Amino acid sequence: MPVPAADPRALPDLAVRTLGGGVVWANDELFAGRENLVNPWPPSFTPRTFGAKGQVYDGWETRRRREPGHDAAIVRLGIPGLVHLVVVDTTHFTGNSPTSASIEALCRDGHPSADDLRAATWTPLVPRSPLRPDGANAFPVASDRRWTHIRLTIHPDGGVARLRVHGEAVADPHLVAALGTVDLVGVGVGGRVIRCSNRFYGEPQRLIEPGPARSMGEGWETARRRGPGNDWVELRLAARGTVRVAELDTTWFLGNAPAFAALSAYDGPGDPPGDTSWRPLLPRTPLQPDTRHLIVIDAADPATHVRLDIHPDGGMARLRLWGTPTGDGLAALHSRWQATAP
């Protein structure tokens, strides 16, 4: 099933811990720590698991408020970017969830302190809105600005399991230019999955996340193919560039790694219109299970998109495409950076 391009949940969670997100401040966290808001796994709950402060929750929970006011937490996005959907997840919080919440955003480059952030002027993204207990409350966001921090305010108090901030990464062109060789498809610099054939066991977005996979569950894996054909994923590079080294990582995939893989490239202003638009980048190459394959690419022509074909099916932990942005690729990054500045 192709990834729905119009579904903002298919976009990366810019706040998640595995992408570098963190909770830098909360006014109260008596019952459950603020850091749980950005955990990558779904919220868990074991009934009658009590600690010194009561039932243990996999989320952020404040004390019962006995005076007027509200509680708040500030989240640093792991990757600055455009925000399209915020999910305030109150899963497992039933009689202790907030009645409503609001979301604000801030763009503050560098490494500001919690005090700096608290004193800053914030921009509303989601007005105060009612929350359902024990559920994922999704709020679409209409904003064309780049943000680095999110402030979640809950009214009046209570618990939230997760805060998901789905959006598009906006790469800092100064860092990309200074680095020279970068992972052109990495989510940290703005790489993005646009389509895939199958995502039964694992999301294709995981292919381009930073760091090594810590288990098979952190990779992309398809269902077993029982008919002809093969599985594939198409990706948009962060910037137009020339791929020098491809890293095809099957770490953790033992009896379910693909037998072969191939890469194709496309160079154009928009997403590829069809299969006939792709040119060969890496011919069909045998893969070994549980192996990090590093392959030199002899590619003289730049690309804007890459397609990974796996034969016939299976799973991969990571895909890295190490290369150099072109001059016009860097110029496009600069234009986007400036256009999205608050």
Side-chain angles (χ1 to χ4, degrees):
M1 177 181 178
V3 173
D7 182 4
R9 293 177 190 265
L11 297 172
D13 175 9
L14 303 178
V16 72
R17 172 71 67 184
T18 49
L19 296 187
V23 187
V24 299
W25 174 84
N27 70 303
D28 186 281
E29 50 183 332
L30 186 137
F31 285 116
R34 68 195 192 214
E35 291 83 7
N36 292 324
L37 282 172
V38 297
N39 284 340
W41 53 83
S44 61
F45 180 77
T46 305
R48 301 198 63 79
T49 301
F50 288 93
K53 296 180 179 179
Q55 169 69 42
V56 176
Y57 278 95
D58 183 12
W60 168 52
E61 187 183 6
T62 69
R63 72 190 74 206
R64 297 191 187 213
R65 182 170 284 277
R66 301 307 188 194
E67 65 286 331
H70 52 259
D71 294 322
I74 295 176
V75 174
R76 180 195 66 243
L77 300 182
I79 303 172
L82 309 178
V83 177
H84 296 297
L85 183 78
V86 176
V87 180
V88 182
D89 190 346
T90 59
T91 296
H92 303 306
F93 289 95
T94 53
N96 51 353
S97 66
T99 60
S100 60
S102 56
I103 303 292
E104 298 164 288
L106 176 70
C107 183
R108 183 64 60 87
D109 296 322
H111 308 92
S113 68
D115 288 341
D116 292 336
L117 297 171
R118 292 177 62 194
T121 301
W122 292 74
T123 300
L125 284 190
V126 177
R128 182 169 174 174
S129 304
L131 295 180
R132 289 182 295 108
D134 194 25
N137 299 268
F139 302 102
V141 173
S143 172
D144 59 359
R145 303 292 92 185
R146 166 173 46 88
W147 307 111
T148 61
H149 295 78
I150 295 293
R151 182 164 65 187
L152 166 66
T153 301
I154 57 174
H155 305 269
D157 53 38
V160 174
R162 298 287 186 271
L163 180 69
R164 303 301 190 200
V165 183
H166 296 280
E168 299 178 64
V170 178
D172 183 340
H174 309 92
L175 288 176
V176 174
L179 289 169
T181 298
V182 297
D183 176 12
L184 292 169
V185 79
V187 67
V189 293
R192 180 176 168 186
V193 173
I194 56 172
R195 287 185 288 264
C196 78
S197 61
N198 187 283
R199 52 180 185 177
F200 188 89
Y201 287 114
E203 292 291 334
Q205 177 68 35
R206 297 172 183 168
L207 282 171
I208 58 175
E209 291 186 353
R214 295 169 295 179
S215 72
M216 190 172 66
E218 293 189 358
W220 169 53
E221 185 180 1
T222 72
R224 298 192 186 210
R225 181 170 286 270
R226 300 307 190 188
N230 68 280
D231 288 316
W232 49 267
V233 59
E234 295 176 358
L235 308 106
R236 184 187 305 155
L237 303 185
R240 185 171 185 259
T242 303
V243 179
R244 303 298 185 189
V245 175
E247 182 177 329
L248 306 175
D249 188 353
T250 61
T251 298
W252 300 109
F253 289 90
L254 299 169
N256 52 354
F260 300 89
L263 293 171
S264 305
Y266 171 80
D267 187 28
D271 291 337
D275 292 346
T276 58
S277 305
W278 299 91
R279 71 171 192 270
L281 187 65
L282 174 70
R284 182 164 162 159
T285 301
L287 298 182
Q288 299 301 318
D290 195 25
T291 300
R292 181 169 168 252
H293 306 77
L294 292 168
I295 304 170
V296 175
I297 302 296
D298 185 15
D301 298 324
T304 57
H305 298 70
V306 167
R307 171 173 165 138
L308 166 68
D309 281 271
I310 59 172
H311 299 271
D313 55 30
M316 291 188 62
R318 295 288 186 267
L319 171 68
R320 310 286 190 217
L321 299 174
W322 301 101
T324 307
T326 60
D328 58 347
L330 282 175
L333 288 181
H334 274 280
S335 295
R336 191 164 190 245
W337 183 262
Q338 293 170 348
T340 59

